[in-house]
Amino acid sequence: MKIFVSYPSELHDLADRLRLALEGEGHEVFTDRAELKEGEPFHAALREAIDDADALVFVVTPQSVAPGSYALSELDLAERRWRVPGGRVLPVMAEPTPLSAIPAYLRQVTLLQPRGDLVAETVAAVARMRRGWPLAAWLGLALALLLLAGAAAWAWQRHEQQLAREQAQRERAAAELSAAVQLCGSGSHAVGWDQFALIAAARPDDEAARQAREDCGMAWLREMRIVSEKETFSALVAKVQPVLAQGLARATGVRRADLRAHLGWAEFLRSRDGIAAGDPKAQYEAALADDPGNVYAHAMWAHYRVWTSGRLDAEAEQHYTAAARSPRERAWVRSLQLSSAWQHGGLYSYAASIADDMRRQGETPSAAQGARLRSYGFDAQVWSARDRAGLLERLSPADLQATYDWLFPAGSAAPERAALDRLWRAWLAALNGQREAGRRELEALRQQLLAERVEGRLPRTVDDLLAELRRGA
């Protein structure tokens, strides 16, 4: 086939790779706009290339669909050539682009949204277009013959056209929904939410879109952050809360519990603005009545108890433990548990126990979580006898050593932390049956600190640990 590739100038390298791949499949490809300049009329050769093309590949980016772009002008020429884009025009999403910004002409066909290599998936889609053409030609001939046959053929044609329109509508609806879900899943919750609002207005009875919109709203609430002084939690919550409340009226079982828990979280977020909000606890209790193991209700209720009291009581810990047992949203639960520990210094030893459970479950903390666990869950707990005792109340000496070695493998300490790492390993060795080896290592560390004239809590802690070992001898 002769293929015209329309693309924004920023993606010239991508267009070159696509041209080479298509030419490797035997196609004749036109991509060269090097001689065109902004504001100048289209060169006659460009118009001729579109008129001579069998198909057009349109690379969709925010730049290519921006008003005044060359790509839109090329698309206009293609639309004049092929009033119906099916089988002739292939739109390919190269960068996330709001569905509302994509021209209606392109939305008449299925938008290719590559999940892997864009070039390879585009070449495959072009191949499917090519294979479909002989069938389309045959159907066209059959349709012409049937039309000659009379009214029956006319009725058949109208039926086929209606089916095609319905299929195109389904494909457009699926593409719109996929784009909104992708935006929300990538963290662009506000943009995705606006897309869902457009879909809901156009298709109020679309059950799949309704549930996807609720999922987006719940994810947005869980990850909601205030990024400017002009924003408030209350204003953002007001966009989401009514939709979840409407969904609650239709939901049952686990779905109803999920919605209830997030409505409780919405009230918690509103309270952070100093607004007299509803009681989150009531929603969490109702959610657990619908689904006793609901991960959101357990985790959110535990977080709320710690937030309001500044301590981790037995009930809050039970809720966190129940949430961590759920196979759903494990990473989010860990994030919430650690958030509770970071917010209250008295809970740093709890963070160490969370790390121990993550080790046992084969989970991997993020880089940020690992850094904070080192600073607060472990290093901040070694300086005083009381904090060290708090760690050992949470973890046995063997588990404490296993978790420390798992988080901070031997030899991985940065130079500025090397001495503190030696202290940790000497103390853990002494706790785990290597008392004499631990004592010798502490003595050697003490001599090093004296030679380097290091002062402060590190040498004091070394002395404290040596004194503890002598008292226990």
Side-chain angles (χ1 to χ4, degrees):
M1 292 193 295
K2 295 180 180 179
I3 301 172
F4 188 99
V5 178
S6 180
Y7 64 97
S9 58
E10 294 84 357
L11 297 185
H12 183 270
D13 290 343
L14 172 66
D16 272 349
R17 290 197 295 114
L18 183 57
R19 174 181 58 78
L20 291 172
L22 289 169
E23 288 176 348
E25 294 294 314
H27 302 293
E28 183 178 340
V29 184
F30 184 94
T31 60
D32 191 7
R33 295 197 311 232
E35 296 181 1
L36 295 176
K37 298 180 180 179
E38 295 292 334
E40 290 186 353
F42 273 82
H43 195 279
L46 186 61
R47 292 195 300 271
E48 291 172 4
I50 294 177
D51 289 341
D52 193 42
D54 298 317
L56 177 137
V57 174
F58 188 94
V59 179
V60 178
T61 70
Q63 292 77 27
S64 69
V65 298
S69 72
Y70 268 123
L72 285 184
S73 299
E74 292 165 352
L75 186 64
D76 181 65
L77 291 174
E79 186 173 357
R80 295 179 190 179
R81 171 96 191 278
W82 303 299
R83 289 298 179 185
V84 178
R88 297 290 186 177
V89 178
L90 174 65
V92 179
M93 180 79 80
E95 295 177 1
T97 305
L99 193 63
S100 59
I102 299 176
Y105 179 69
L106 290 178
R107 296 203 303 269
Q108 293 182 46
V109 294
T110 301
L111 177 66
L112 177 62
Q113 300 185 61
R115 296 185 178 181
D117 182 79
L118 181 145
V119 171
E121 293 190 31
T122 302
V123 170
V126 169
R128 291 193 293 272
M129 290 173 65
R130 185 183 185 186
R131 288 195 297 269
W133 283 10
L135 177 60
W138 184 88
L139 289 175
L141 176 60
L143 179 59
L145 293 173
L146 288 171
L147 285 173
L148 294 175
W154 178 83
W156 177 85
Q157 181 189 31
R158 292 295 299 272
H159 175 67
E160 288 297 307
Q161 289 175 345
Q162 178 62 26
L163 290 178
R165 283 194 294 271
E166 291 174 357
Q167 178 62 23
Q169 289 174 353
R170 286 193 292 270
E171 290 177 352
R172 285 198 299 273
E176 291 170 352
L177 181 57
S178 176
V181 169
Q182 184 179 14
L183 284 167
C184 196
S186 66
S188 299
H189 300 104
V191 179
W193 189 254
D194 290 342
Q195 291 293 99
F196 276 118
L198 294 174
I199 294 171
R203 305 194 301 276
D205 297 326
D206 189 329
E207 180 66 15
R210 181 185 67 79
Q211 290 206 15
R213 187 186 190 193
E214 292 169 2
D215 289 339
C216 180
M218 289 190 285
W220 192 7
L221 285 174
R222 291 195 303 274
E223 300 174 26
M224 194 167 282
R225 303 288 187 273
I226 297 302
V227 297
S228 73
E229 294 181 356
K230 296 181 180 180
E231 283 186 339
T232 64
F233 282 117
S234 301
L236 296 178
V237 166
K239 297 181 179 183
V240 179
Q241 203 169 21
V243 173
L244 300 191
Q246 291 169 9
L248 187 64
R250 293 185 289 266
T252 59
V254 174
R255 182 72 177 183
R256 183 177 178 85
D258 289 352
L259 290 167
R260 280 195 182 279
H262 284 83
L263 286 169
W265 189 257
E267 295 298 339
F268 162 66
L269 292 175
R270 291 178 67 234
S271 71
R272 293 183 60 178
D273 290 336
I275 293 176
D279 182 12
K281 178 182 175 181
Q283 294 286 13
Y284 301 148
E285 288 178 331
L288 291 178
D290 289 328
D291 174 25
N294 190 266
V295 62
Y296 299 116
H298 278 301
M300 291 172 175
W301 194 348
H303 178 274
Y304 182 68
R305 290 184 69 89
V306 176
W307 181 275
T308 53
S309 69
R311 62 190 182 89
L312 183 74
D313 59 19
E315 186 174 348
E317 189 159 2
Q318 287 171 2
H319 282 303
Y320 266 145
T321 300
R325 282 198 299 264
S326 172
R328 303 168 64 200
E329 299 286 359
R330 182 64 61 84
W332 171 76
V333 171
R334 297 306 193 189
S335 177
L336 210 59
Q337 286 180 294
L338 291 172
S339 174
S340 289
W342 307 149
Q343 290 162 2
H344 306 284
L347 301 184
Y348 287 166
S349 61
Y350 177 56
S353 70
I354 296 167
D356 178 64
D357 193 41
M358 293 175 72
R359 172 182 64 85
R360 294 171 182 273
Q361 300 301 324
E363 302 169 42
T364 302
S366 67
Q369 288 173 341
R372 299 195 80 177
L373 281 167
R374 182 191 63 229
S375 298
Y376 300 109
F378 287 85
D379 289 356
Q381 303 297 291
V382 80
W383 305 119
S384 73
R386 184 187 65 181
D387 289 337
R388 292 193 295 272
L391 276 175
L392 293 172
E393 287 176 4
R394 286 278 178 185
L395 299 174
S396 70
D399 288 337
L400 184 60
Q401 183 169 36
T403 302
Y404 185 89
D405 289 340
W406 172 68
L407 283 171
F408 321 116
S412 65
E416 63 273 14
R417 191 179 172 272
L420 181 56
D421 184 67
R422 285 183 67 187
L423 182 149
W424 261 102
R425 295 187 188 282
W427 180 52
L428 290 171
L431 287 176
N432 285 279
Q434 297 177 304
R435 190 181 187 87
E436 184 59 25
R439 185 192 63 76
R440 287 197 303 270
E441 179 64 10
L442 287 171
E443 288 283 5
L445 176 58
R446 186 173 183 273
Q447 292 303 316
Q448 175 188 326
L449 297 175
L450 286 172
E452 295 174 356
R453 297 184 180 181
V454 176
E455 298 180 351
R457 60 184 179 179
L458 180 56
R460 288 198 301 270
T461 303
V462 172
D463 289 340
D464 289 345
L465 291 175
L466 285 170
E468 287 179 8
L469 290 176
R470 284 193 292 270
R471 285 195 298 270

